[in-house]
Amino acid sequence: MIGGAWRVGLLYSTTGVTANIEQTQLNAALLAIEEINAAGGVLGRPIEPLHVDGGSRPRRFREIAERMLGVEGVRLLFGCYMSSVRKAVLPLIDGYRGALFYPTFYEGFEYSPQAIFTGAVPNQNAFQLAKYVLTKHGQRVFFIASNYIYPYESNRIMSDFVTQARGKVVDELYIALDAGPDEISRAIKRIKKHSPDVIFSTIVGQATAPFYEAYRQAGLDPSTMPIATVTTSEADVAEMAPGVAEGHISAATFFDTLATPAARAFVSAYRARFGADAPVPSAAEAAYFQMHLAARALARAGTDDPRRVIAEIKSIEFDAPQGRVRVDAENHHTYLWPRVARLDAKGRFQIIWNPGVRVKPDPYCISQSLDDWSADFVEQTEIF
């Protein structure tokens, strides 16, 4: 690029089954760009975002990415939520020699020299969740999930964790991304039949709130049978009636109740820009800090040549809202900070287990032992 703005592509949906969470990612990416530009841009040039709604459809995202890379001349792309979308876009990244910055927690087992992964992999969220719930709630687990790539792979990995703990997966059920009341009702009946100790949910998108509401209407009790998840976030809880999600458990690297100065500053800036009650999930936090990371790498590279930017990003640390992060030079995933939280009556995530360590990404789950972690905790009256 010679002169002018640095153009970047944003691959997020504002319509479709995962629009609620992707809108928060888009917001956070735009907030980061606004902050960077307000501080003088990168080497005196502003960042100019190019965004087209992908409609939560992999094929549509592939078309958008191809146009951005092949026609618009954009070299750095940020986004994608569902794994099916990422897998549709990555071959284009390789073919056009672009770069993809992926800000969503996912199943792991992937590498591209032209991609940077800033969301959690299973050893940074599902692993900690398994340790916590299997220790505190019991070892008979029911799996319920949306019917696409990420939940299948996540359940395979979670099954290994359950087996390590000498637990048992009592059943495994997949429902449509746009599951309606009848399908969800059948799922609840199946859960009641097995009466597990824990329900591990990887339901995503628009079926999430109806599932929690059906659970509540069925009279099930989260104190004896909680829904434990890495996919239910502040964006999903915002779509539920008050109290519906109370008592259920999530694991993530960031919650919008995190009380560190960096977290408070981020949430405050986000809500000043997008609304006082706007949900701020971990996927949005990753979309935010990866833009800042990329901007620093861009400044050091002096060019938006993806190879140069990716080479520079490996040597940068950044004080993200969740804590200090950096990209692993070997696997292109990010060192992150896992936490476990329980929802209160107001729909706020109260952190109940904060190991207080930055975890090296292990996207291939090569060496994960539940015995390496203690789930000892103290119920918090004040949020970390």
Side-chain angles (χ1 to χ4, degrees):
M1 164 176 187
I2 301 175
W6 305 99
R7 303 182 78 214
V8 300
L10 303 183
L11 301 178
Y12 299 110
S13 299
T14 55
T15 59
V17 293
T18 54
N20 66 331
I21 188 75
E22 293 190 60
Q23 181 67 65
T24 71
Q25 292 181 300
L26 174 61
N27 290 349
L30 292 173
L31 175 63
I33 290 170
E34 290 169 6
E35 291 175 349
I36 293 162
N37 288 344
V42 177
L43 302 177
R45 304 176 192 170
I47 295 177
E48 178 188 330
L50 178 62
H51 172 255
V52 180
D53 173 26
S56 306
R57 292 181 289 134
R59 182 176 296 180
R60 175 62 176 150
F61 270 108
R62 182 181 175 88
E63 293 169 354
I64 292 168
E66 187 164 29
R67 179 169 181 80
M68 286 182 175
L69 293 164
V71 178
E72 301 289 346
V74 173
R75 307 174 83 181
L76 307 178
L77 301 184
F78 298 78
C80 300
Y81 182 73
M82 289 189 291
S83 287
S84 52
V85 171
R86 184 190 70 255
K87 287 181 179 294
V89 168
L90 270 176
L92 294 172
I93 298 295
D94 295 339
Y96 283 98
R97 297 185 180 178
L100 175 67
F101 296 81
Y102 181 62
T104 306
F105 55 89
Y106 86 112
E107 66 276 5
F109 296 92
E110 195 159 281
Y111 170 81
S112 167
Q114 293 164 237
I116 296 294
F117 302 79
T118 59
V121 288
N123 81 302
Q124 297 169 316
N125 56 10
F127 182 76
Q128 290 75 20
L129 181 68
K131 180 65 177 182
Y132 182 84
V133 298
L134 292 168
T135 301
K136 302 298 179 182
H137 290 279
Q139 298 183 317
R140 298 181 65 257
V141 186
F142 186 105
F143 287 180
I144 184 166
S146 295
N147 190 13
Y148 77 104
I149 298 167
Y150 168 71
Y152 279 100
E153 289 298 302
S154 292
N155 284 348
R156 180 182 62 79
I157 295 164
M158 184 61 80
S159 293
D160 291 342
F161 296 155
V162 173
T163 300
Q164 275 191 40
R166 296 181 176 84
K168 180 181 180 181
V169 178
V170 298
D171 202 355
E172 187 169 349
L173 176 64
Y174 293 86
I175 64 174
L177 278 162
D178 58 352
D182 290 344
E183 190 172 1
I184 291 172
S185 177
R186 289 194 295 270
I188 293 293
K189 288 178 181 177
R190 201 150 140 187
I191 289 168
K192 292 176 74 173
K193 174 185 174 182
H194 288 283
S195 189
D197 298 319
V198 178
I199 301 162
F200 177 60
S201 171
T202 45
I203 295 174
V204 304
Q206 70 182 40
T208 303
F211 173 64
Y212 280 74
E213 289 162 358
Y215 174 105
R216 177 77 172 263
Q217 291 167 4
L220 301 178
D221 184 356
S223 69
T224 58
M225 189 198 302
I227 300 169
T229 180
V230 297
T231 56
T232 301
S233 73
E234 291 87 344
D236 301 298
V237 176
E239 298 185 345
M240 303 178 196
V244 163
E246 181 181 4
H248 296 299
I249 299 167
S250 288
T253 52
F254 176 84
F255 294 100
D256 66 13
T257 50
L258 190 62
T260 63
R264 284 176 167 167
F266 167 57
V267 171
S268 177
Y270 185 99
R271 289 179 172 158
R273 177 70 172 78
F274 300 108
D277 297 320
V280 193
S282 64
E285 189 257 358
Y288 172 82
F289 83 67
Q290 74 169 18
M291 187 63 69
H292 276 286
L293 264 179
R296 293 190 177 192
L298 182 60
R300 290 173 61 147
T303 172
D304 61 356
D305 180 332
R307 293 168 297 180
R308 296 273 300 279
V309 172
I310 287 176
E312 293 294 344
I313 208 168
K314 297 175 185 179
S315 59
I316 298 171
E317 296 215 1
F318 180 72
D319 288 317
Q322 66 175 272
R324 196 166 180 82
V325 300
R326 72 178 176 88
V327 173
D328 186 288
E330 294 182 356
N331 62 40
H332 286 197
H333 293 68
T334 308
Y335 283 72
L336 300 172
W337 300 78
R339 298 168 171 98
V340 178
R342 182 181 291 118
L343 283 151
D344 66 17
K346 295 181 179 179
R348 289 167 56 84
F349 283 103
Q350 303 292 351
I351 296 173
I352 53 176
W353 187 33
N354 186 358
V357 294
R358 185 171 75 169
V359 175
K360 174 182 170 65
D362 180 9
Y364 313 109
C365 285
I366 293 170
S367 57
Q368 304 304 322
S369 171
L370 291 176
D371 292 337
D372 293 340
W373 286 76
S374 168
D376 292 341
F377 72 105
V378 176
E379 289 284 0
Q380 300 300 310
T381 56
E382 201 167 314
I383 305 165
F384 283 94

